[in-house]
Each structure stands twice: as C-alpha cells, then as structure tokens.
Amino acid sequence: MTIPTSNAEAIGAHRARERRRWRTVLLFLALMAASFVLDIATGPSMLSPAEVLRSLTGLGDRAPMTDSIVRSLRLPMALMALVVGAALGAGGAQMQTILNNPMASPYTLGMAAAAGFGAALVLAVGGLGLSAMIAVPLGAFVFSMLAAFFLFMLASMRRMNTETIILGGIALLFLFQSLLSLIQFLSSPELSQQILFWLFGSLTKATWPTLTLTAIVTLVCCIVLMADSWKLAALRMGEMRAASLGVNVRFLRMKVLVIVAIMTATATSFVGVIGFIGLVAPHIARMTVGEDQRYFLPMSVISGALMLSAASVLSKSIIPGALFPVGIVTAIVGVPFLLWLIFAPRKRT
Amino acid sequence: MIEIENLSVKRGGQTIVRGVSTRLEGGRIHAIIGPNGTGKTTLLRAIFGDLPIDKGVVRIENKTISATGRKRLSDWREHIAYMPQDTGADVALTVLEVVVLGRLGKLSLHIDDETLEMAMDRLNQAGIGHLAGRDIASLSGGQRQMVLFAQVLMRQPKVMLLDEPVSALDLKHQVALLDVVRRETRANGWATLVVLHDLNLACQYADNLLVIADGTLKASGPPKQIMTPDLVHETYGIHVEVLHDRRGNPVVQPLGNIHEISSEDEISPANEGMLA
C-alpha cells in the first residue's frame, strides 16, 4: 500500500516552487531593466549607464545635451521596445495556449503579414486624405484586424478544430505576403523602398502619443488575460478536459483571439513587422516557470520585452553609429536562439 | 438522480444514440457496457451537454437539457464532473496544479492552503500523493489517469461521468480507483455513470448495469439479475460462461468464438456454474 504523502510536506514544496518562480520572474525583470538602461545608453553618442540613470531620475550633475538625448530621443524608443516586446510576448503566449500549438504566434498566423500589406497599400494608394503618420498605422491595424476576424470566424465555426484555424492562419500569411509582393512589383523603386523600410520593423517610428496608446492597450489586454489565467491553464490540458472543468472553450478562444489581435495589431501598426518575439518569448517562459498562467503570462511579457530591448541594443551596436532596423535583428538572432531552445536540455523551476 | 427520457443523439448526420430512457439513482454506480463504437461515449457527452441532443430530455434535479434547451451550459455543468477518455496532458504543470484546476471557478490568483490541502487529500485518496510535485507530462498514461481522476474528485459534483477511467491502469490501480469511486459515490450520494469494458469489474462494482448496443439500451438492472450468457452473446457476439463468486456477483468467462469451440468444450444448456 502507498504511504500517504504528508500534506504539509507537499504544500511546503509547492510554496517553495512558487517562490522559485517569482525569483525567476524578478531576475528577468532585473535583466529587462538593465537592457532598458543599456538601450538608452547605446547610440551614435555613447552614454554611460550612470549618466542615463542620473538623467532618468533627474538627480546629480547632468549635461543639458545628455538630458535631451535621453529623454526626448532615446527614452520613447527604449520604452516602445519594452511595450511592443511585451505585447508580442503576451500575444504569442496566448495564441499558443488557445490553439494548443507551440508554432502559433500572431506572426506565423498571418496577422503581421496582413499589417504589412495594409501599410503597403496605404503607402501605394494614399491615405484617403489622412497624413501618412496616421494613415499607415491605421491601414496596418485595419488589415491585421481583418486577418484576426477571419481567424475569429474560423474559430467560431463549430466543426473547426485548432489545426484548421492554424492552417487558415498560414494560408493568410501566404496570401498577404503575395499581395504585398504584388504591390512592391507594381510600385516605383522609391515607393518599394518606403514599403520595405516599414516592413523591417523599426523603433525609430516611436513617439510619445503612439507609445502611450500602445502601452495602455497592452496593459489593459494583459490584465484581461490575467483574469482568465486558470481557464487558460485548463485549456492547455485539451479542449475536452477544459470543457469538463466548466470552461466555455469556444467563447474563451474567441475572446482571447480578439484581445491578442487588438494588442498585437496596435503594436505592429506603430513599429512595423517584428518576428520571432511572439514565437520565442512564450517558449522561454514555459521552460523557466512552466505553464501555470499566473507566472507564464507575466514571464512571457517580460521575456518579450527583454528580447526586443536587447535586440534594440544589438541593432545599434553591430556597426557603431549605424542603426539597423530591429525587425532584422530579432529574426537573425531569433533563429539560432529558437534552435537552442529546441535542442537545449530542459530544466525549469 | 439523472432521468433520461427517449434520448437520441446524432453525430455527422448519423444517429448514434437512439431512444435511451432510464433513471439513474444517486448514491449508486451505474456502469455502461457494450461493444466499441456503439454510443457509450456519445451518451456520456450528451448528458454532459457537450454534444447536441437530437430528441429527448436529460434531467438532473430541477435542471433539464434537450434539443432546444442547452443555452446555459455552465449552469447545467455546475454539479457534473466529467472525466473524458483522453489522458493526454502535454502541459508544463505539476500534478498538484493539475488537481487544483478541478476547483476552477472558485480559484483566485493565490491558491490558499485549504485548496492545496484538499488537492493533496484527493491525491492521497487516489494513492498518488507522492507524485504531487512531478510534472504531469513526465508521468505514465496510468499515472496520468489517476491524477485526472483526482482532479474530477476535486469538483465535488452531484453527478460523476467517467469514460473508461481504468483503461490505462494495472489491476491494482483499477481496483484502487474503483474502490474510491464506490466509497465517494456512497458517501456523497453522487449519481455515478461509468463506462467500463471489463465486464467482471462492471459486475463487481456496479449497482446497475446499462447494456448499450447499436445505440440502444438493450438491458438495464443489477448485474446479478441481468448478466447472462445470452445477453453477452446478443451484445458482443461471443459465447461466455457466467459463473458467480462467493458474494453472488457474476463472473464472465469467455469461451471464444462459437466456431472454435470443440465438442469437449460444449457447455451446459444453462451455461452457468459456481466458482469454488
């Protein structure tokens, strides 16, 4: 006969595991903060982290020029990296959760490609009287939401399973990529160059108003997702199991899809297409803190923010003085990192 | 108590369950037996509200679901715990976390000690308390089945629907799980409906057998009354002897296909005997 395990002992072990997970989350938060300071420090005129901190806090002796560089030029970009990374990390995490597939992300399901097409279309045909600053992100947002609406319709059909939704998303990816190529093919070299620049994904487009809007949308969406954390954890155990625990699976899937769509479409429309964050950040979270969503979601958010912030530092460090579009860096660094994640021995708290 | 009236369920345009009517009392185990693909799981899922009902009504206390009335499923499922066949759980959660999920709807962001105590009690009841800190994905199919059963117990239901809960378990754990099912069903007055393939386990543990073939209820009643060689032959198309153990429970002994029975193996007309 099996000897009953002491409840106190098992609960103590569980609490210790919870503390370990919080420590891991805090460690990543500290790394993210360090990367944020480095991101501000890095650029054509290199600053020391101490100068950055003095300028951010307003304490100590500081040159007016440094304050101007830090607060007006680099701070919105560095914060945008954190906010967009967080949005993509959370979006990818919940796409993978609701579709029960580690390959799912707003990027792989065509929402980013749709945003790219929307932006290109506006650049090519004009923004119906609106200025390009407003019309291009709006076009990207509208088409990204259209792609999400298509996925939403698929998810709302009773006989559709997760595989069908993923296939639908991949079809969208190819469709919008082809349409985008068509626009580029028909465009003048100058316009094609403009489209290409938007597609690279760049934080230089960040301004205080776009940053504020993206931050508010991301924060609200993450809070709503967090409220469903137990249901989302149950959904990862399979549709049938989640339903047996009282989860309205179809409603939850559609609700999360809408939230993810709004969050990632907002982020993408202001900075362009940035791949891999949404795919890789949830994997980092899963490997470090597991899939208890109370830790998994914050960890995906922080990992995404850290990754994009670090990519931003890299994009400015490859050739000193030159600024590579961050979207290129995330893809180039993301691929080997993803491979390492796949093949590395697994150990998590 | 579950009342099922003239229940028919279609899947893919085909009627899988046809005109099933029965009353399932609380505090008793009702075992569904029958060949593969005859509608056992469909019946369970329809009662749970997971499949639309084509005709008929299912009533639990004062709530009903029917072809037209299945709008408030969360309300209907409030007191039903359903354990699906599937034991797949490729998720990075510990066993204790999986069992805690059984309290879904009553959980806040912080899991209190009372809930953890309850989950540990359930795991110990199922004899797997020592697995509490393990990853569910690292367990064997049988261990996972025990964990998922502990999760079902966490629901504290009035009706428990178990779809082949012992399919991946060794004999010791089959008995352990069904002992817990019997104890909890009796103690809490739950109406427990369980799909079993092992006729002897069904006869051993069920208070009431429901024999399903071709989507219809062929027979129902206490195992001692209804388990006969003729019933098994009509249902499964095989010949068996039905013996009885010391408590008088039927013990079904397969004899193989009729064409393979030699003249020496011929059995008495009654096809019945007593175990020594």
Side-chain angles (χ1 to χ4, degrees):
Chain A
M1 191 179 162
T2 315
I3 302 161
T5 302
S6 147
N7 286 9
E9 199 182 304
I11 292 168
H14 176 79
R15 295 290 184 218
R17 198 176 310 114
E18 285 185 328
R19 284 193 294 276
R20 274 201 306 277
R21 286 173 178 169
W22 277 125
R23 280 200 294 274
T24 310
V25 171
L26 287 175
L27 171 71
F28 271 69
L29 205 57
L31 287 173
M32 188 192 84
S35 177
F36 170 68
V37 172
L38 263 182
D39 194 12
I40 297 176
T42 317
S45 68
M46 291 295 286
L47 302 171
S48 71
E51 280 177 298
V52 173
L53 287 173
R54 276 201 301 273
S55 187
L56 285 177
T57 53
L59 300 171
D61 292 337
R62 337 180 287 280
M65 181 64 101
T66 309
D67 267 7
S68 173
I69 292 172
V70 168
R71 293 182 185 177
S72 307
L73 288 176
R74 297 191 189 166
L75 188 57
M77 276 172 64
L79 283 173
M80 196 62 151
L82 297 186
V83 171
V84 170
L88 295 176
Q94 297 319 343
M95 279 296 224
Q96 291 178 11
T97 300
I98 60 168
L99 297 175
N100 208 14
N101 191 307
M103 294 300 292
S105 78
Y107 188 87
T108 50
L109 295 182
M111 284 159 65
F117 170 74
L121 192 67
V122 172
L123 286 169
V125 302
L128 301 169
L130 292 169
S131 79
M133 287 287 283
I134 297 169
V136 174
L138 194 63
F141 182 83
V142 167
F143 274 87
S144 190
M145 289 305 288
L146 276 177
F149 181 71
F150 175 76
L151 294 176
F152 180 88
M153 292 304 288
L154 281 183
S156 65
M157 289 180 192
R158 193 169 175 82
R159 60 198 166 81
M160 289 296 166
N161 55 29
T162 51
E163 284 80 12
T164 329
I165 300 168
I166 291 167
L167 277 175
I170 292 171
L172 280 184
L173 176 67
F174 283 111
L175 173 72
F176 284 113
Q177 274 179 348
S178 303
L179 291 173
L180 188 61
S181 300
L182 182 68
I183 292 184
Q184 283 179 296
F185 179 73
L186 297 172
S187 310
S188 64
E190 293 77 27
L191 182 60
S192 193
Q193 185 86 26
Q194 259 185 298
I195 293 171
L196 205 59
F197 182 73
W198 194 92
L199 288 176
F200 283 154
S202 171
L203 295 163
T204 52
K205 301 174 187 116
T207 59
W208 283 109
T210 59
L211 169 66
T212 309
L213 181 63
T214 314
I216 290 170
V217 168
T218 305
L219 182 68
V220 171
C221 289
C222 285
I223 289 170
V224 177
L225 289 172
M226 199 67 188
D228 279 329
S229 55
W230 288 115
K231 287 182 185 170
L232 289 162
L235 190 56
R236 275 289 289 126
M237 297 194 64
E239 270 182 51
M240 203 59 232
R241 179 83 39 199
S244 76
L245 292 171
V247 177
N248 184 338
V249 173
R250 277 204 311 155
F251 176 75
L252 179 66
R253 191 172 277 150
M254 290 191 284
K255 176 181 168 185
V256 171
L257 188 58
V258 169
I259 293 168
V260 169
I262 292 172
M263 188 164 58
T264 54
T266 308
T268 310
S269 58
F270 291 131
V271 297
V273 178
I274 293 173
F276 276 102
I277 306 272
L279 189 67
V280 178
H283 285 282
I284 296 174
R286 195 172 291 117
M287 287 175 70
T288 50
V289 297
E291 284 181 276
D292 179 336
Q293 294 267 342
R294 296 172 304 154
Y295 307 92
F296 177 64
L297 181 59
M299 192 61 177
S300 299
V301 165
I302 294 168
S303 301
L306 169 61
M307 282 180 71
L308 193 53
S309 180
S312 171
V313 176
L314 265 179
S315 73
K316 291 184 274 186
S317 315
I318 298 169
I319 299 174
L323 181 64
F324 278 83
V326 75
I328 296 178
V329 178
T330 58
I332 292 172
V333 178
V335 173
F337 190 64
L338 182 66
L339 292 174
W340 175 77
L341 277 183
I342 293 165
F343 294 111
R346 292 179 179 215
K347 190 181 177 203
R348 67 181 171 83
T349 50
Chain B
M1 186 175 67
I2 312 172
E3 281 179 275
I4 303 170
E5 273 176 37
N6 196 28
L7 181 70
S8 293
V9 185
K10 276 185 178 174
R11 288 179 77 180
Q14 247 190 327
T15 305
I16 306 294
V17 172
R18 350 165 166 252
V20 170
S21 296
T22 187
R23 281 163 67 94
L24 308 171
E25 302 290 337
R28 292 157 69 87
I29 297 177
H30 307 269
I32 305 177
I33 58 169
N36 291 328
T38 51
K40 301 185 296 297
T41 296
T42 303
L43 176 62
L44 235 54
R45 286 179 63 184
I47 295 172
F48 184 60
D50 189 49
L51 292 174
I53 290 170
D54 187 39
K55 281 180 202 155
V57 176
V58 182
R59 193 172 292 115
I60 297 176
E61 293 183 345
N62 54 354
K63 295 174 187 169
T64 58
I65 51 164
S66 61
T68 51
R70 60 190 297 278
K71 281 178 188 155
R72 289 196 55 96
L73 270 184
S74 56
D75 189 33
W76 171 253
R77 289 171 175 170
E78 192 187 349
H79 298 298
I80 306 177
Y82 173 46
M83 181 173 170
Q85 266 179 46
D86 176 32
T87 58
D90 188 17
V91 57
L93 289 173
T94 66
V95 164
L96 190 58
E97 286 161 353
V98 168
V99 177
V100 162
L101 276 176
R103 299 288 290 164
L104 196 79
K106 298 179 179 73
L107 294 171
S108 61
L109 281 179
H110 173 72
I111 313 174
D112 55 32
D113 282 354
E114 196 187 333
T115 306
L116 290 172
E117 287 265 2
M118 194 176 163
M120 278 310 298
D121 288 343
R122 297 308 191 209
L123 282 170
N124 280 323
Q125 260 181 308
I128 48 166
H130 60 289
L131 298 177
R134 290 268 302 272
D135 262 10
I136 179 102
S138 72
L139 303 185
S140 71
Q143 288 172 322
R144 278 208 292 267
Q145 204 159 27
M146 293 299 278
V147 173
L148 297 173
F149 174 64
Q151 188 190 59
V152 165
L153 290 178
M154 277 292 273
R155 303 267 299 152
Q156 296 186 304
K158 288 181 181 168
V159 170
M160 190 156 65
L161 308 173
L162 307 173
D163 197 352
E164 296 189 38
V166 295
S167 60
L169 301 181
D170 60 34
L171 188 59
K172 177 187 163 186
H173 287 99
Q174 288 181 8
V175 170
L177 187 145
L178 289 171
D179 278 345
V180 178
V181 170
R182 179 151 62 188
R183 200 165 52 238
E184 294 296 315
T185 301
R186 299 260 195 278
N188 300 302
W190 297 344
T192 298
L193 191 55
V194 51
V195 173
L196 290 171
H197 270 303
D198 187 323
L199 299 187
N200 290 326
L201 278 178
C203 289
Q204 192 81 28
Y205 282 94
D207 301 296
N208 180 36
L209 280 184
L210 302 167
V211 185
I212 304 270
D214 292 330
T216 59
L217 185 61
K218 271 195 117 48
S220 68
K224 285 176 191 173
Q225 286 177 20
I226 69 159
M227 185 51 74
T228 63
D230 285 345
L231 177 72
V232 176
H233 183 241
E234 279 169 30
T235 310
Y236 292 92
I238 60 157
H239 288 269
V240 298
E241 268 187 299
V242 175
L243 312 170
H244 289 91
D245 67 12
R246 271 177 288 184
R247 281 177 294 179
N249 288 321
V251 176
V252 179
Q253 175 73 46
L255 296 173
N257 192 298
I258 188 69
H259 302 298
E260 292 163 8
I261 301 173
S262 65
S263 57
E264 294 98 71
D265 293 333
E266 285 293 348
I267 46 176
S268 66
N271 281 349
E272 291 201 34
M274 286 289 286
L275 285 178

